[in-house]
Amino acid sequence: MQSAAKVGLLVVIFVGLLFGAYAALGRTMFAPKTAKYFAEFEDAGGITPATQVQMSGVKIGTVIAVSLAGPRRARVAFEVQEGTRIPQGSYAKIATPLIGLGETPLEIVPPEVVSGTMVSGSTMPGRKGGALDEILPNSKETVAELNKTMIAVRKLLEDEGLKARADKLLATSEKTIGEFGELASTANTMLVQNQASVARALQTASLALQDVRQVTYQVSQLLEDGKIQKDAKAVVAQMVKISENANKLVLSMDKMVNDPALRGPIAQTAANVEQITETSKGIATDTKLITENGIEISKNVKEITAKAVPMMDQASTVFTKATEIETQLQGVLEKVGGFFTRKPGPGPLANLGFSMDLLHSENPGYWRTDLGVSFPMAEGTVNAGIYDAFGSNRLTLQLGKRLTPALQVRYGIYAAKPALGVDYQLAPRVTLRGDVWDINRLRADLRAGYDFGNGIVGWIGVDRLFDRSTATFGIGVRR
């Protein structure tokens, strides 16, 4: 035990010395040269030190500090790789995602027409993007136009002249509705008073239609018997004779009709007959429609009555089935109730682990909180959590594979990036942890942890071994 503790202590001392040497020489010898710029915002929420700086979706630098420039202004300082050209007229934009699972970068937006380059140390304006800008472009302009429309509608509603005209129109409409109601009442009274006469007229029309149908049937029978066809020739010959006599009669009638003494009364009589004929046609048409509707209603009543009987039988059957289902459902509810009232025994969630680490990075000076849960499996663990909780809120989800009792390899997602990790139990209280992540800009973090007991762990290590490395230390809790 003492030898293992000594080895762990020596490893921690070696890592510290290694970091000290790199911190003294690495920044000046290996760190790439950078140019520093500033951006001012009314609201810089979501931006923290170590946040990526992107232009056209490509990372060009990192935020190094966020400070207050005034009561209503925030100042963001960031570094970009030397040689990166930022056009004149560019501005910085902070996007507002709908779901904050990944890192929110600081986006440099160049102007439409590129001319000139900003020098190091320049300050550019900043804007805060809306959550719906990607789904609904120009949302601010749309809201502004909507406000103008609402103001115009409000002015229109407040127009006294329009209100007076609307009140006058409503008064005229009420008067018209009242007159129409009186007219409808008068028509209803007339219909009630003449109801008996209308009923008699309908009955007479119905009898007339029956006579017409009977005559039509008899004519049809005569045509089918063939008697009319046999006498057709005789009838035609007789009609020729009648036509000759009719011609003579027409000549005589023509002389009589052209007589001025008889022409006036005959014309008046013809007009009266024409009016009576038109009225009779209208009555006959209405009578036919009423009769057809009566026949159709009778058919519908018969069909509804015929369908109602099987529907009643089906309703009885459904009620019987519902009673049976209710009985079965009561039994199911009793079983479900027994399941939920049963006391849970020890299950796989009893071994669920929780961790919280508070780590401080020296460059830039920033405190980071990592949250995690672990679920043990037969040959490893499932690890999930949030990197930089309450800051960038980046997702971590890894599957752990135990190669030896002291060595475990993790692979999956770390800080919302593809990652590979190693956990090594150097001594009973000493643990080494390494994480390599972000394929596009490779980053490696190395930490050593010491278990003080009661779930308290101390951490010391180095972040970003390949790019401006910095010391990190902190404390964690394990449950």
Side-chain angles (χ1 to χ4, degrees):
M1 284 291 184
Q2 293 180 355
S3 61
K6 291 178 179 179
V7 171
L9 182 59
L10 290 175
V11 170
V12 173
I13 294 173
F14 174 75
V15 171
L17 293 174
L18 179 63
F19 165 73
Y22 186 84
L25 301 175
R27 296 181 184 178
T28 58
M29 296 178 63
F30 305 106
K33 295 182 179 180
T34 59
K36 189 174 183 181
Y37 294 89
F38 300 92
E40 292 190 353
F41 297 85
E42 292 184 0
D43 180 6
I47 296 298
T48 58
T51 298
Q52 289 189 12
V53 178
Q54 298 181 357
M55 185 165 61
S56 299
V58 179
K59 180 181 178 181
I60 62 172
T62 307
V63 174
I64 59 175
V66 180
S67 60
L68 192 64
R72 299 175 62 91
R73 303 292 295 176
R75 186 177 179 86
V76 177
F78 61 92
E79 292 179 343
V80 301
Q81 300 173 8
E82 187 175 14
T84 302
R85 180 186 177 191
I86 298 181
Q88 286 283 357
S90 300
Y91 67 90
K93 177 181 176 182
I94 301 175
T96 304
L98 288 175
I99 302 175
L101 294 180
E103 180 182 4
T104 302
L106 179 66
E107 185 74 19
I108 305 301
V109 182
E112 293 292 335
V113 179
V114 178
S115 62
T117 304
M118 298 180 67
V119 298
S120 178
S122 300
T123 301
M124 64 183 67
R127 302 179 186 176
K128 188 72 175 287
L132 298 177
D133 285 349
E134 298 298 331
I135 301 175
L136 183 63
N138 301 324
S139 59
K140 293 184 178 179
E141 291 78 0
T142 303
V143 172
E145 292 298 327
L146 181 60
N147 289 334
K148 292 180 181 178
T149 303
M150 294 180 66
I151 292 172
V153 171
R154 183 175 180 179
K155 291 182 179 178
L156 183 63
L157 294 176
E158 293 176 350
D159 188 355
E160 296 297 334
L162 179 62
K163 289 182 179 179
R165 290 192 294 271
D167 292 339
K168 184 178 180 180
L169 178 60
L170 289 175
T172 305
S173 300
E174 291 178 356
K175 182 179 179 181
T176 303
I177 292 173
E179 293 176 353
F180 180 78
E182 294 177 359
L183 179 61
S185 177
T186 303
N188 187 32
T189 303
M190 292 178 63
L191 289 174
V192 171
Q193 292 176 355
N194 297 315
Q195 186 174 5
S197 300
V198 173
R200 286 195 298 269
L202 291 175
Q203 184 177 6
T204 302
S206 178
L207 294 175
L209 288 174
Q210 291 178 5
D211 294 339
V212 171
R213 290 176 182 173
Q214 186 175 3
V215 171
T216 304
Y217 175 76
Q218 291 176 357
V219 172
S220 177
Q221 291 295 323
L222 289 174
L223 292 174
E224 291 178 358
D225 292 342
K227 293 179 181 181
I228 295 177
Q229 290 83 347
K230 293 178 181 179
D231 297 336
K233 293 182 179 180
V235 171
V236 170
Q238 187 67 28
M239 288 296 294
V240 172
K241 293 180 181 181
I242 294 172
S243 177
E244 292 175 356
N245 295 329
N247 288 334
K248 297 177 181 179
L249 180 60
V250 167
L251 293 174
S252 300
M253 290 295 294
D254 186 35
K255 293 179 181 180
M256 183 180 67
V257 169
N258 290 327
D259 188 354
L262 296 175
R263 193 166 184 177
I266 290 173
Q268 184 65 36
T269 303
N272 294 336
V273 171
E274 182 179 0
Q275 184 177 1
I276 293 171
T277 302
E278 293 297 330
T279 305
S280 300
K281 288 181 180 178
I283 293 173
T285 302
D286 295 341
T287 302
K288 182 178 179 180
L289 292 174
I290 292 171
T291 304
E292 291 176 353
N293 291 334
I295 295 171
E296 187 66 24
I297 290 171
S298 299
K299 291 181 180 179
N300 292 337
V301 170
K302 289 181 180 179
E303 292 177 359
I304 292 171
T305 304
K307 293 179 180 178
V309 174
M311 287 176 66
M312 292 296 292
D313 295 338
Q314 293 177 3
S316 177
T317 304
V318 170
F319 179 77
T320 303
K321 293 292 184 181
T323 304
E324 296 176 359
I325 292 173
E326 182 181 3
T327 303
Q328 297 175 3
L329 184 60
Q330 289 179 353
V332 172
L333 289 175
E334 291 178 357
K335 294 180 180 180
V336 173
F339 174 78
F340 284 105
T341 55
R342 187 172 56 192
K343 295 182 178 180
L349 295 181
N351 297 323
L352 188 67
F354 170 77
S355 65
M356 182 178 69
D357 296 323
L358 181 62
L359 303 172
H360 182 266
S361 178
E362 289 293 334
N363 183 26
Y366 179 67
W367 286 94
R368 186 182 85 234
T369 303
D370 294 347
L371 301 177
V373 293
S374 61
F375 181 76
M377 300 175 61
E379 298 180 356
T381 59
V382 175
N383 303 281
I386 300 177
Y387 177 94
D388 192 14
F390 317 111
S392 57
N393 292 319
R394 286 178 276 177
L395 178 66
T396 296
L397 182 60
Q398 293 183 314
L399 179 63
K401 182 73 173 180
R402 189 164 295 282
L403 302 181
T404 66
L407 178 62
Q408 178 180 245
V409 177
R410 293 175 282 104
Y411 56 92
I413 298 173
Y414 182 75
K417 302 290 183 181
L420 179 66
V422 177
D423 295 320
Y424 182 69
Q425 190 72 33
L426 185 63
R429 290 181 176 271
V430 179
T431 303
L432 293 180
R433 175 190 175 105
D435 292 284
V436 180
W437 49 289
D438 195 352
I439 298 175
N440 295 316
R441 190 175 180 86
L442 192 63
R443 172 171 172 173
D445 298 343
L446 179 64
R447 282 185 284 162
Y450 184 80
D451 187 357
F452 293 100
N454 296 324
I456 306 300
V457 179
W459 293 103
I460 184 172
V462 181
D463 284 353
R464 300 195 302 273
L465 287 174
F466 304 129
D467 182 15
R468 293 182 298 170
S469 61
T470 179
T472 181
F473 61 89
I475 191 170
V477 178
R478 297 291 184 274
R479 289 290 183 268

